[in-house]
Amino acid sequence: MTAQSSRLFRCFSILSALSWTIRAAPVTPSTTFRLPTPLNATFPVGSQVFKLVDDSRVDPFNSTEKRAVEITVSYPSISQDNGACPNGTSFAPYMPVLMAGLEDKELGIPDGTFESIFTDTCLGAPPVSLAQRKLIIFSPGLGISRLIYQTYTTALAAHGYVVVSVDHPYDADIVEYPDGRLVFAAPINDSSTTDIARRVGIRIEDLQFVLNQVCGNGNLTQGIAVDCGVRKVGMFGHSLGGATTADMTIVDQRIAGGINLDGTFFPTQPGPDVSPDTPFLVFASEGHNGTVDPTYGNWYKVAGGNAAPRVMITVKGAAHLSFSDFPVLVKLLNFPETALTADERAALGTIDGDRISEILQVYLKAAFDLVLLGDSSNSTTALFTSGEQTFSELDVVDEKP
């Protein structure tokens, strides 16, 4: 197994350790929880879930059916009514009922735990307006549902973006379609990077299909117009989703800029890992560098030395799953972090859940404001040159090609 695939598959052992972390949380089914309101939110957020069927493709994991992906669309909505959702809508559950019950059993936690968690988005709430907005697309880590990142997709929507998060069936651990049908992850061949590269290619086809659908169907965005021109769409992803983001900058000219959250690069074709024309940001967990992951020593290089800006930010105390909702959920469920074992700290990192959430919300907004909205104010650009002065946990490196 290569160093790249070894790091990727370590995610699964980390998820196993995390099950022990949540298992001890003092949760009872009668308790309900809601994800925190996004930091400095400009708008309340609405959301919708859709199943999209690509009639042009047979599912590569199941030859008896067409490829069908599930997405969540998050968008700025009209104001809430004294903290309640407007127009008779309600706060969206963190995950659907069948999936929630299966995740409870998988993690060995009390029945009803995941069902008791709600997002800070109102399901089907009317949009604040139909004026054109910038679009951001998200791809999750291998074996992880898109739903385990709702802190960050909601936060971007709360600042005016339309955000589309995508599940890749047979890749995510569980996908529950709106009709209740369940699809589980297909076995992974971990003997080489071949299967991983294949999955990146499948993800790219999924994402391009989703972009085509969202850009051509206003019903998916509640009637909000989205800007889908050349270099007009933002993208980010965690782990394999981060690798997929890098590949998308090369194969799809709609991508204006990308963010890789702690993912090893798995290029699907010869040449640079990231398009020379696309600004790119890498967030890395502590210790994730070119020594342990050779792709982190090369991703910013291009022939001739001319490229759009590249920045790499290492977060002290962060581990691979710090870049997901898991640290936020541990705090939400009132689990005392001081009681974490060494294995549990390896899963979540030692950085406080609220702190990593703050850092990521600030940087995701700043990066996309800079690339998609042209915000070059000193307060924004300073985060990418001297971010250590704002967040002492960060090591900011301007990568020169």
Side-chain angles (χ1 to χ4, degrees):
M1 183 185 297
T2 66
Q4 296 99 307
S5 59
S6 176
R7 176 174 178 80
L8 189 62
F9 286 104
R10 195 177 307 132
C11 176
F12 291 96
S13 62
I14 289 173
L15 282 169
S16 177
L18 184 65
S19 69
W20 291 98
T21 300
I22 301 180
R23 182 174 299 155
V27 176
T28 61
S30 61
T31 306
T32 59
F33 303 87
R34 199 166 89 217
L35 289 183
T37 298
L39 185 69
N40 300 322
T42 305
F43 302 99
V45 177
S47 64
Q48 287 275 49
V49 176
F50 298 96
K51 174 185 176 182
L52 303 179
V53 180
D54 186 352
D55 290 323
S56 70
R57 281 195 297 157
V58 173
D59 195 300
F61 297 98
N62 185 346
S63 62
T64 67
E65 61 186 19
K66 297 295 186 180
R67 183 67 170 170
V69 297
E70 188 167 53
I71 66 172
T72 297
V73 181
S74 304
Y75 52 90
S77 71
I78 63 174
S79 297
Q80 297 176 4
D81 183 13
N82 294 321
C85 288
N87 293 16
T89 62
S90 58
F91 287 106
Y94 189 72
M95 59 179 61
V97 174
L98 293 178
M99 179 179 175
L102 289 169
E103 294 286 13
D104 288 343
K105 289 180 173 59
E106 177 69 21
L107 295 176
I109 56 180
D111 290 344
T113 297
F114 271 109
E115 191 176 352
S116 72
I117 304 173
F118 292 81
T119 71
D120 196 53
T121 75
C122 295
L123 191 61
V128 66
S129 76
L130 300 183
Q132 187 180 74
R133 295 190 177 274
K134 296 295 184 179
L135 175 66
I136 297 171
I137 193 164
F138 173 77
S139 182
L142 179 65
I144 308 177
S145 168
R146 77 191 190 286
L147 303 175
I148 307 296
Y149 303 89
Q150 293 183 86
T151 295
Y152 305 109
T153 55
T154 300
L156 287 167
H159 290 289
Y161 292 102
V162 173
V163 185
V164 178
S165 58
V166 182
D167 260 342
H168 307 280
Y170 300 98
D171 184 330
D173 59 341
I174 305 172
V175 175
E176 181 179 338
Y177 291 118
D179 62 3
R181 180 187 169 218
L182 297 169
V183 172
F184 299 93
I188 300 169
N189 179 0
D190 61 356
S191 61
S192 71
T193 60
T194 303
D195 188 37
I196 301 304
R198 170 177 171 267
R199 287 171 183 258
V200 171
I202 293 168
R203 282 171 173 242
I204 288 172
E205 291 183 313
D206 289 346
L207 293 164
Q208 291 188 302
F209 166 69
V210 168
L211 274 175
N212 291 341
Q213 294 297 302
V214 170
C215 294
N217 185 349
N219 291 332
L220 298 178
T221 57
Q222 292 285 81
I224 301 171
V226 289
D227 191 351
C228 295
V230 174
R231 303 299 182 208
K232 296 296 185 181
V233 177
M235 182 172 174
F236 72 117
H238 174 235
S239 194
L240 197 63
T244 306
T245 299
D247 282 287
M248 279 286 286
T249 67
I250 297 171
V251 303
D252 198 312
Q253 291 190 337
R254 289 171 290 192
I255 305 302
I259 302 173
N260 176 358
L261 301 176
D262 206 42
T264 289
F265 289 85
F266 283 90
T268 56
Q269 57 189 5
D273 292 342
V274 179
S275 168
D277 303 321
T278 308
F280 206 81
L281 170 64
V282 171
F283 260 100
S285 56
E286 184 171 2
H288 190 181
N289 52 45
T291 300
V292 299
D293 180 353
T295 70
Y296 268 42
N298 300 313
W299 69 271
Y300 55 89
K301 297 179 180 179
V302 295
N306 295 314
R310 277 98 167 80
V311 176
M312 180 169 174
I313 300 176
T314 301
V315 186
K316 300 179 183 71
H320 193 55
L321 291 180
S322 298
F323 302 96
S324 71
D325 280 355
F326 283 123
V328 176
L329 292 174
V330 168
K331 293 208 74 170
L332 187 69
L333 299 176
N334 301 316
F335 182 77
E337 294 189 31
T338 55
L340 295 177
T341 67
D343 285 344
E344 292 161 355
R345 287 191 182 280
L348 297 169
T350 57
I351 189 168
D352 177 77
D354 289 340
R355 184 64 165 175
I356 186 64
S357 176
E358 178 187 5
I359 290 170
L360 290 179
Q361 288 189 55
V362 166
Y363 268 90
L364 288 171
K365 177 183 183 298
F368 288 123
D369 283 357
L370 182 61
V371 171
L372 298 179
L373 302 180
D375 178 7
S376 57
S377 61
N378 290 338
S379 60
T380 295
T381 57
L383 290 170
F384 303 101
T385 57
S386 55
E388 302 94 331
Q389 296 179 15
T390 304
F391 299 104
S392 61
E393 300 90 344
L394 304 186
D395 180 16
V396 180
V397 179
D398 181 9
E399 297 283 16
K400 301 295 184 184

